[in-house]
Amino acid sequence: MRVPIGWLAEHVDVPADTTVEDLDAAFIRLGLEVEEVHRAAEVTGPLVVGRVLEIEELTGFKKPIRYCQVDVGEEAGAEGGRDVRGIVCGARNFAVGDAVVVALPGAVLPGGFAIASRKTYDRVSDGMICSVRELGVGDDHAGILVLGDDAPAPGTPAGPLVGLDDVVVELAITPDRGYCLSIRGIAREMGTGLGVEWRDPGALTPPAWAGEPAWQVTVEDADRCDRFSMIALEGLDPTAPSPWWMRRRLAQSGVRSISLAVDVTNYVMLEVGQPMHAFDRDRVRGPIVVRRAREGERLTTLDGVERRLASDDLLITDDSGPIGLAAVMGGASTEIGDGTSNVLLEAAHWEPTGVARTARRHRLPSEAAKRFERGVDPEMTVVALARAAALLAEYGGARVVGSLVDVDTRGPRPTIALDAARPGRVAGVPYPTAQVTELLAAVGCTVEGDGLLTVTPPSWRPDLTDPADLVEEVVRLAGYDHVPSVLPTAPPGRGLTERQRRRRAVGCALAEFGYVEAPSFPFVGTAVLDALGLAEDDPRRQVVLVRNPLSEEEPALRTTLLPGLLAALARNLSRGIRDVALFEHGAVFPGGERSAAPLPGVDRRPDDETLAALLGAVPEQPWHVAVALAGNREPRGWWGAGRPAVWADAVQAARRVAEAAGVELTVRAGERAPWHPGRCAELLVDGRVVGHAGELHPRVCAALDLPARTAVMELDVDALPPASVPVGPHLSSFPPVFVDLAFVLDEGVPAAAVEESIREAAGELLESVRLFDVYTGPQVGAGRRSLAYSLTLRAPDRTLSTAEAAELRQRVVAFVEEAQQAELRG
């Protein structure tokens, strides 16, 4: 909201010594953020009002040129004489008798343009008649600035008249302060903030228009439109220009001047906060009906766009169909044109949420919609019509015909019970009851009672619905700077919880293992779930939908970390990074049937039953960790070609996670989308599946633009059992015995199963076992492979003898051969 201080000063008795900085501080104290302060461009030297006395048309040049005799005021030293200057001008939009702005020799206009007396077009031009752009107060350069019939006498300084000494403060208005999108609302706030008198521009008493109702109006949806007011005017001069002061204030407020009728509606909207719409009365066909749109209806709005309407859209219609998108934008069929002389003026009060839905649906964030969706004062509809009618009568010769149409179905305003001591309890500042009552009255509330107050919010404050809102108003007007800043005593820390330590340990372990963390937004859409190849009955398709998603393509909370992580992987690969290893850990949100959450009030703490219902409606949020790899896991260099990332690296990442969490992980073959069926491992802890790792399915890689054999792992960290009490390894001083064994067995037998058999057979004398070679080829036969293991044997209390080592080796071989149908490779 751009607020011209000169306009504001007409309604607020701002002290004479108040600076712009003081106003800035006052706005901030009232909770209104000042985004920018705009000052007019600097003009120095003589700049006065002039009146055109004579115009001589010069010929013989490439473009039309005029030589004008301009009265610029009394000449110093002359007895009753006038100072008439001859000035050359190329503009055509003025005539003899018009008042203009003249820069006399010695003036310097914005941009360092100095004015001097000089000969041009065979005449001496003794000054310059200025346009809006040349004065730096607007962008209009189609012609010079004509001030109008109410301009002051020639010779009057023109700087204050054109706004060169005015300052415009641009405010950021929050959605709950819609009443501040008007001079009326800002004047009320500033009067309260400065403690000075202010005059309400909305305190106008509308005249009692007589006669038959101006138009037949029916409101079919009173819930969406509880007040609809309209008057009819005729005799408007379609050529009448908007007065300069109005055009200047519209320009300062960021509104483009169009025509007198449109400018008046925009001006009144800025002044009292009530948007209006002007219809060409001669183009309206039959009675006006306010109703919902019907399927298939279309409307061409004032911006020239034909819009397909939804059944939720509220319309203003006549016998021809829709003529306006209610509260958002009018229709082109009844637009005010260059020849419009008969006008219908409409001002209404619309339900905010419906306006917001329509504006977003049609992508029409108009000035009217911006105000209506924040809430406007329903008492201003008739006041705004009266103000607009008076301006159109004064400057356009229009007159009101017929009586006012005012369809008003509003009910009484609700009251709020407030304990007078509550603001003090909330803010920690003692506010006497008299002060609370005084401040609420300054807001515009009607206050009754003493200890327990009955408060009726004003019509322009639809945001005041609960006691907490009234408490906020009391604290705000009393001054946030009066609330002491006292740091509470911090309780002694208990350190991180076990869950927090585990999560941090997992992240640190993966980072130390060469992975880079890549957090992503926790939102997904059905397209990426399809790309992952999830079955229709997969639990990961049961998602929690967000009511107001950041993107319509991703309206749900994620049930797996893979979509965001794989998108980050693809993005890095597309940027030319060939070797990528990423990880992410965070919450996922499984869907499913859940109870509806109750809506507790804000006036008291919810009871235990309500809290339990609220928590019961919240989806579970288990903590997952996932990794994704592509390219080389070990870089190439002078030492060799490097090693590409494979499924085993994803499994190893899971082992690192388990090690950091203090649990033991086992691995077995599995099958789960989006992994390749033959290259997927189930990750188990205590016999429970907690995750999967392996290569992505080729179709998934193709759908997500990932290289073939991309390896990924995802594991549920919250599913891991508590870590056992760590016991340090027993260090034996006796020498180890190293044994290497190679078994030939079916390709379908997992290496983890063979390792488990070795550990079971070797018992406590086995210190470690490691798979160091895998061989497939003609020497072992088709469908078979060789797995070679290195065993370290050691006794804690003695040196193992050769016989003991041989007997243990034989026991291991026999057990593996029987358990896994394997053969010892010679």
Side-chain angles (χ1 to χ4, degrees):
M1 174 69 182
R2 295 166 66 101
V3 182
I5 299 302
W7 192 359
L8 181 65
E10 290 185 2
H11 304 286
V12 182
D13 294 334
V14 180
D17 58 347
T18 303
T19 64
V20 174
E21 288 71 22
D22 295 334
L23 293 176
D24 189 330
F27 280 128
I28 293 174
R29 281 198 308 271
L30 293 166
L32 298 171
E33 180 185 353
V34 177
E35 288 193 325
E36 192 172 354
V37 176
H38 303 273
R39 290 179 168 84
E42 184 178 4
V43 176
T44 60
L47 186 73
V48 299
V49 174
R51 191 166 296 277
V52 180
L53 302 178
E54 182 182 337
I55 297 176
E56 177 186 356
E57 301 288 347
L58 302 183
T59 59
F61 301 101
K62 294 182 179 179
K63 61 179 181 178
I65 298 296
R66 291 170 147 188
Y67 186 60
C68 308
Q69 299 297 318
V70 183
D71 179 5
V72 294
E74 296 183 2
E75 183 179 13
E79 296 182 1
R82 307 298 297 174
D83 187 1
V84 178
R85 303 290 181 106
I87 300 175
V88 174
C89 182
R92 314 288 299 177
N93 67 318
F94 64 98
V96 172
D98 284 344
V100 295
V101 177
V102 180
L104 298 177
V108 179
L109 300 183
F113 183 44
I115 305 300
S117 180
R118 62 191 181 94
K119 186 174 183 180
T120 180
Y121 295 105
D122 298 334
R123 297 290 191 278
V124 175
S125 183
D126 199 15
M128 187 176 80
I129 304 175
C130 302
S131 71
V132 170
R133 184 191 295 178
E134 290 162 344
L135 293 171
V137 294
D139 296 325
D140 186 9
H141 197 55
I144 59 97
L145 172 58
V146 179
L147 296 177
D149 297 337
D150 56 349
T156 303
L161 187 65
V162 299
L164 292 178
D165 59 347
D166 206 355
V167 176
V168 178
V169 178
E170 187 168 353
L171 302 175
I173 306 299
T174 55
D176 62 326
R177 308 282 292 278
Y179 65 96
C180 286
L181 291 172
S182 67
I183 294 296
R184 180 190 184 217
I186 296 297
R188 179 185 297 106
E189 290 290 302
M190 189 54 63
T192 304
L194 296 178
V196 297
E197 293 294 326
W198 69 282
R199 290 162 295 282
D200 187 356
L204 173 69
T205 301
W209 293 296
E212 294 294 324
W215 213 262
Q216 183 179 344
V217 175
T218 302
V219 177
E220 293 185 354
D221 194 341
D223 292 334
R224 296 276 296 272
C225 177
D226 57 10
R227 191 172 190 184
F228 189 94
S229 306
M230 177 173 281
I231 60 173
L233 300 99
E234 64 181 22
L236 175 67
D237 181 2
T239 64
S242 300
W244 160 245
W245 62 266
M246 184 182 294
R247 286 183 283 136
R248 173 170 63 86
R249 286 181 174 176
L250 290 175
Q252 288 176 321
S253 302
V255 178
R256 180 171 59 92
S257 175
I258 298 175
S259 65
L260 176 61
V262 176
D263 289 353
V264 164
T265 59
N266 286 332
Y267 180 82
V268 175
M269 176 186 71
L270 294 172
E271 186 177 54
V272 301
Q274 173 65 55
M276 294 187 294
H277 186 68
F279 299 91
D280 187 331
R281 196 178 71 171
D282 295 333
R283 301 170 72 180
V284 178
R285 301 286 179 260
I288 285 179
V289 179
V290 178
R291 60 169 174 83
R292 299 278 187 99
R294 302 187 181 105
E295 289 299 330
E297 282 190 305
R298 294 180 177 272
L299 170 67
T300 301
T301 46
L302 291 175
D303 55 1
V305 177
E306 184 182 28
R307 302 183 184 277
R308 182 180 181 87
L309 304 174
S311 59
D312 185 52
D313 292 331
L314 198 62
L315 303 177
I316 300 174
T317 67
D318 64 2
D319 289 347
S320 65
I323 60 173
L325 197 56
V328 179
M329 186 173 285
S333 62
T334 55
E335 180 181 7
I336 297 292
D338 294 337
T340 299
S341 59
N342 299 323
V343 177
L344 278 178
L345 276 184
E346 164 265 314
H349 183 253
W350 312 94
E351 189 268 326
T353 57
V355 176
R357 292 195 301 270
T358 298
R360 285 171 174 79
R361 185 181 304 113
H362 295 282
R363 294 181 173 86
L364 270 177
S366 64
E367 288 295 319
K370 182 167 69 174
R371 286 163 172 80
F372 280 123
E373 66 185 15
R374 287 164 171 78
V376 301
D377 186 359
E379 298 289 346
M380 285 294 103
T381 59
V382 178
V383 171
L385 291 176
R387 174 68 167 144
L391 290 171
L392 290 174
E394 180 178 356
Y395 295 101
R399 62 185 180 277
V400 177
V401 293
S403 62
L404 169 72
V405 176
D406 189 16
V407 181
D408 190 351
T409 59
R410 293 175 296 153
R413 294 200 299 273
T415 61
I416 304 172
L418 174 68
D419 181 358
R422 184 169 180 175
R425 292 197 303 268
V426 172
V429 177
Y431 298 118
T433 300
Q435 184 183 11
V436 172
T437 302
E438 179 185 353
L439 293 176
L440 290 176
V443 172
C445 298
T446 301
V447 185
E448 299 175 353
D450 188 9
L452 182 62
L453 306 179
T454 300
V455 182
T456 304
S459 56
W460 58 86
R461 292 298 302 270
D463 59 303
L464 302 181
T465 59
D466 295 282
D469 301 324
L470 301 178
V471 169
E472 181 183 0
E473 289 300 295
V474 171
V475 177
R476 180 177 69 88
L477 292 183
Y480 291 124
D481 48 350
H482 293 160
V483 179
S485 296
V486 179
L487 289 177
T489 302
R494 298 180 180 178
L496 300 176
T497 65
E498 289 296 329
R499 176 175 292 184
Q500 290 170 331
R501 277 196 289 267
R502 169 174 281 185
R503 291 174 179 178
R504 292 194 182 187
V506 166
C508 290
L510 290 175
E512 292 168 357
F513 198 36
Y515 289 84
V516 177
E517 186 173 5
S520 60
F521 284 117
F523 307 112
V524 296
T526 55
V528 71
L529 299 180
D530 294 338
L532 291 177
L534 303 186
E536 291 298 327
D537 59 348
D538 193 303
R540 288 170 291 177
R541 282 191 176 272
Q542 297 181 12
V543 294
V544 177
L545 295 176
V546 180
R547 286 188 177 180
N548 54 340
L550 297 178
S551 169
E552 294 295 338
E553 288 75 26
E554 296 179 334
L557 294 173
R558 66 189 178 191
T559 55
T560 169
L561 297 180
L562 295 184
L565 190 62
L566 294 178
L569 182 68
R571 189 178 304 112
N572 279 272
L573 293 170
S574 68
R575 300 297 192 274
I577 304 176
R578 291 182 287 184
D579 305 327
V580 188
L582 304 178
F583 83 94
E584 181 179 4
H585 58 146
V588 298
F589 310 88
E593 295 294 331
R594 308 198 69 83
S595 59
L599 187 62
V602 297
D603 56 336
R604 64 180 62 87
R605 181 185 184 276
D607 56 29
D608 294 341
E609 184 179 350
T610 303
L611 288 175
L614 285 170
L615 294 176
V618 176
E620 295 181 1
Q621 301 172 50
W623 194 268
H624 282 205
V625 62
V627 303
L629 307 94
N632 284 338
R633 185 70 179 104
E634 296 175 1
R636 63 179 181 176
W638 56 266
W639 53 83
R643 182 180 67 80
V646 295
W647 63 269
D649 292 298
V651 174
Q652 188 60 27
R655 295 187 185 279
R656 286 296 181 107
V657 170
E659 181 181 349
V663 298
E664 185 175 350
L665 185 76
T666 57
V667 180
R668 72 184 182 198
E671 185 172 336
R672 181 177 173 85
W675 284 273
H676 191 295
R679 299 190 177 98
C680 174
E682 287 184 342
L683 310 175
L684 300 94
V685 174
D686 293 343
R688 177 187 177 188
V689 177
V690 296
H692 294 78
E695 288 183 8
L696 286 180
H697 196 287
R699 285 197 297 269
V700 176
C701 293
L704 298 178
D705 294 328
L706 295 171
R709 298 199 167 185
T710 295
V712 299
M713 178 275 293
E714 184 171 15
L715 183 147
D716 185 352
V717 178
D718 283 354
L720 302 179
S724 57
V725 178
V727 178
H730 179 76
L731 300 179
S732 174
S733 59
F734 297 96
V737 176
F738 300 104
V739 177
D740 291 344
L741 297 175
F743 296 99
V744 178
L745 65 170
D746 189 83
E747 279 187 334
V749 178
V754 178
E755 180 180 331
E756 185 177 354
S757 297
I758 292 174
R759 290 183 180 277
E760 184 177 352
E764 295 181 354
L765 295 179
L766 179 66
E767 185 173 276
S768 66
V769 58
R770 180 175 62 88
L771 175 68
F772 69 87
D773 183 59
V774 179
Y775 171 77
T776 57
Q779 296 185 16
V780 297
R784 297 172 67 78
R785 63 177 176 173
S786 170
L787 302 179
Y789 293 87
S790 174
L791 284 65
T792 302
L793 309 176
R794 194 194 314 248
D797 54 352
R798 68 187 187 280
T799 299
L800 289 178
S801 65
T802 303
E804 286 179 307
E807 189 273 334
L808 183 58
R809 177 183 183 278
Q810 186 59 37
R811 188 165 74 241
V812 168
V813 170
F815 188 85
V816 172
E817 287 180 339
E818 180 181 356
Q820 307 297 338
Q821 286 76 50
E823 297 178 8
L824 182 67
R825 187 178 177 190

